[in-house]
Amino acid sequence: MVCSPLLRLVIACACAAALTACTHPGHPLPAEMDVRTLDVGTYPVDRHHYDQNAGSNGGLLEAMRMSVAVVPSVRIDPKLDVGLESGADTEDDSGNYLADADKPVLDQYNLIGGFATVGADRGVPPGGTDPGPAATVVRNLVLRFPDANTAKRAASALETADFLVAPDQNQPLNLSRYPNADIHYRPGVPTVGAFLAHDEFVLAPYIQAPVADPAVLLNLVQQTFDAEIPVLDTFQPTPTPQVSTLQVDPDGLLARVLVTNRDNRTPDPINFAVYGPVALVSGADDEPTVQTAVGDAGVDAVALVDDGRVIRARDPAAATRLVGGLVGARTAGYVTAGPLGSPVPGVSCLQRGSRGVTTGPGPKYVCYLAYRRYVAEVSSDDDTDIRQKTAAQYALLANSM
């Protein structure tokens, strides 16, 4: 998460060693370090603005907005406390969360976008790709269509397309609390899929349980609807005619994330996106701890660019607390490593493994730092690079004010 050539840093403020107040925009405040003195390598740290024109990506931006209205698994059932993933979904990449048979339906009914969280009651074992058959896993996917009538027809068509994948084996199920939900499962297979139209949305949970018990599966579907619908009702969707006018980075959060190259950036669910706080929770090994830290800090947005991110908290004090919360929650495979020699104030780092054991998934180093109300995360496998990254990220945040 960085850029190309080193451009201008903060313009000089003739502050003496005692650092009198600077009044020019972009200059350090009293007691802030002069970022021009930092070794930032070749990372660009000047203030930047990305093109706000979304082009054909308005639906993807709406899907990112929807992240504030999709609950993580721990909100569905406290036992589902391990986050596996979350992300935006569009008809172009619907295979991420829906079966191939569903894509023609999404095209037919003009899917605008969707967002999903995935969590489980246990993590992925070392060397594995999923939690395994003994786990309970819930994918909470919400899809957005142009209007309520279209969503209703899309929900029915999605159920039909799914059911017809194995019509001689699938059996319908019913929930008395949600009589309009289309639900089916395959006897002997411990999974269930459901579709429920709600205003212009379709809720589309997919659930795995350790046993192929329809009562267990239906209970998890109901829990998902119970948790999701009240939150979804608080969301204000962008009017369909205005989706194409959504801006890429209206608050300048993406521009605050350190990158190696700023060129040719377009919205991308993984490498160039702004999400709500659920993006932190649903990717956490310990969802309850991160959810508590995020709530305490008043986090309202998370910007992701390549391998870095910037998080916006309520205020500077909350940002400082959030650094400690994120470091404390990221325990799987990492040990605390202090500032790793970074000259930037308040840097807290983690190192892969312990006592020289540094192999395994993920980068060797992950560091967090706070600047005013922003928290940044940078990572690297190189000792020198991680120090330059923390310095460059701090400088970029200072120069972006």
Side-chain angles (χ1 to χ4, degrees):
M1 49 168 183
V2 268
C3 258
S4 41
L6 177 63
L7 303 177
R8 70 170 179 82
L9 299 180
V10 189
I11 303 173
C13 202
C15 301
L19 273 181
T20 56
C22 291
T23 59
H24 301 293
H27 289 210
L29 294 176
E32 287 188 4
M33 70 186 309
D34 185 348
V35 297
R36 295 170 301 167
T37 66
L38 295 173
D39 175 11
V40 299
T42 58
Y43 293 116
V45 296
D46 61 312
R47 184 173 182 148
H48 185 66
H49 297 281
Y50 287 110
D51 184 358
Q52 296 297 320
N53 182 9
S56 61
N57 291 305
L60 179 54
L61 294 180
E62 179 70 354
M64 295 174 188
R65 287 188 68 246
M66 288 172 58
S67 62
V68 301
V70 181
V71 298
S73 60
V74 73
R75 294 275 297 276
I76 295 168
D77 187 327
K79 295 189 293 295
L80 301 173
D81 58 359
V82 179
L84 299 179
E85 64 172 300
S86 66
D89 209 20
T90 67
E91 64 183 53
D92 293 329
D93 60 358
S94 60
N96 289 342
Y97 295 113
L98 288 173
D100 291 341
D102 297 322
K103 190 177 188 308
V105 177
L106 304 180
D107 293 338
Q108 178 182 357
Y109 292 97
N110 301 311
L111 173 74
I112 292 176
F115 188 84
T117 62
V118 186
D121 62 354
R122 65 194 67 195
V124 178
T129 58
D130 59 64
T136 297
V137 183
V138 172
R139 180 208 68 194
N140 180 28
L141 171 63
V142 180
L143 304 170
R144 160 84 196 278
F145 291 90
D147 53 62
N149 181 56
T150 302
K152 184 176 180 180
R153 291 184 290 127
S156 178
L158 286 166
E159 168 64 11
T160 298
D162 258 15
F163 195 92
L164 291 179
V165 171
D168 56 334
Q169 301 176 54
N170 286 326
Q171 291 186 8
L173 296 172
N174 297 290
L175 267 177
S176 58
R177 188 178 298 184
Y178 298 99
N180 294 325
D182 292 308
I183 311 169
H184 71 267
Y185 92 121
R186 195 175 304 181
V189 178
T191 60
V192 65
F195 298 99
L196 174 64
H198 184 75
D199 298 329
E200 58 265 86
F201 302 101
V202 172
L203 283 69
Y206 182 80
I207 291 160
Q208 169 192 302
V211 293
D213 184 339
V216 171
L217 295 169
L218 280 173
N219 183 59
L220 287 163
V221 172
Q222 179 168 303
Q223 286 180 280
T224 303
F225 291 157
D226 287 348
E228 179 55 42
I229 289 175
V231 177
L232 189 59
D233 284 342
T234 68
F235 178 68
Q236 185 64 48
T238 303
T240 299
Q242 297 176 23
V243 169
S244 61
T245 69
L246 287 171
Q247 293 186 326
V248 171
D249 189 24
D251 296 333
L253 289 177
L254 292 168
R256 286 177 162 87
V257 184
L258 191 68
V259 292
T260 52
N261 193 331
R262 290 166 167 165
D263 297 337
N264 303 316
R265 293 289 184 174
T266 58
D268 180 273
I270 298 174
N271 293 315
F272 198 71
V274 178
Y275 291 121
V278 74
L280 294 176
V281 179
S282 287
D285 296 325
D286 184 351
E287 280 198 3
T289 297
V290 173
Q291 181 173 251
T292 298
V294 164
D296 173 68
V299 172
D300 66 358
V302 182
L304 311 175
V305 186
D306 299 338
D307 61 350
R309 57 187 175 184
V310 165
I311 305 157
R312 187 170 62 194
R314 179 187 305 108
D315 52 44
T320 299
R321 292 196 305 273
L322 181 61
V323 169
L326 293 176
V327 170
R330 191 162 185 167
T331 56
Y334 284 89
V335 294
T336 55
L340 291 176
S342 173
V344 172
V347 173
S348 294
C349 298
L350 296 160
Q351 180 174 344
R352 164 63 61 184
S354 60
R355 298 197 177 277
V357 180
T358 57
T359 58
K364 181 178 180 180
Y365 301 116
V366 178
C367 295
Y368 298 92
L369 61 96
Y371 182 84
R372 301 193 192 177
R373 67 181 297 200
Y374 300 97
V375 171
E377 177 189 311
V378 297
S379 59
S380 180
D381 291 322
D382 181 79
D383 294 28
T384 300
D385 185 54
I386 193 63
R387 287 192 292 272
Q388 290 178 335
K389 271 191 165 182
T390 55
Q393 179 64 83
Y394 185 90
L396 177 59
L397 289 172
N399 292 338
S400 298
M401 299 306 291

